């Protein structure tokens, strides 16, 4: 729920078994690796081999993009996602960020603020 709409749409497409264009697969895998997932996490998250992406396709992409600290290539900016045609279902937060990772950081910060507020109210 904290992913930007463009990434959420790519996740859905991948899980449905759609053959994503190389640029879209790059964007998706680079984003997931940038959030701290490793290759096994990405495969499990995308349900690789269970109606989703072919495991060998995903393994090849993860191997290319990953280094020991996550992704050696950052995911594309919002402008690039728009140029790719992958910028979909824009929401209010999209209007305030220029990168999908910034969207995610803001959403996580908002979620933590809500959680903190609820904890304060219970005390």
């Amino acid at each position: 729920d904290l992913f930007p709409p463009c990434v959420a749409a790519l996740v859905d497409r991948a899980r449905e078994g759609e053959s994503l264009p190389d640029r879209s697969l790059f964007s998706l895998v680079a984003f997931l690796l940038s959030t701290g997932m490793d290759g096994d996490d990405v495969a499990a998250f995308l349900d690789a081999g269970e109606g989703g992406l072919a495991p060998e396709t995903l393994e090849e992409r993860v191997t290319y993009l990953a280094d020991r600290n996550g992704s050696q290539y950052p995911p594309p900016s919002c402008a690039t996602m728009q140029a790719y045609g992958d910028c979909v279902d824009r929401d209010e937060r999209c209007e305030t960020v220029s990168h999908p990772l910034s969207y995610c950081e803001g959403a996580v910060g908002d979620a933590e603020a809500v959680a903190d507020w609820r904890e304060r109210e219970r005390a």
Side-chain angles (χ1 to χ4, degrees), residues 6-122:
C6 58
V7 173
L10 289 174
V11 168
D12 289 344
R13 290 170 58 193
R15 286 181 172 171
E16 291 169 3
E18 183 179 330
S19 178
L20 298 175
D22 285 340
R23 64 184 187 271
S24 300
L25 185 57
F26 168 86
S27 301
L28 176 58
V29 173
F31 179 88
L32 295 175
L33 290 171
S34 293
T35 66
M37 291 186 182
D38 64 18
D40 292 337
D41 294 334
V42 171
F45 184 73
L46 297 177
D47 298 324
E50 298 175 21
L53 292 170
E56 56 277 357
T57 300
L58 188 55
E59 181 180 345
E60 176 184 304
R61 187 57 51 136
V62 168
T63 300
Y64 176 75
L65 294 176
D67 65 13
R68 67 175 184 245
N69 297 318
S71 179
Q72 63 178 338
Y73 299 100
S77 68
C78 292
T80 301
M81 294 292 282
Q82 287 174 334
Y84 286 172
D86 288 330
C87 180
V88 297
D89 304 326
R90 291 176 59 91
D91 63 15
E92 290 178 15
R93 185 180 310 277
C94 291
E95 301 301 323
T96 66
V97 299
S98 62
H99 200 280
L101 288 174
S102 297
Y103 182 104
C104 196
E105 289 169 3
V108 167
D110 287 351
E112 289 172 356
V114 169
D116 290 347
W117 173 80
R118 289 178 185 166
E119 289 174 14
R120 286 192 301 268
E121 288 296 312
R122 284 187 221 140

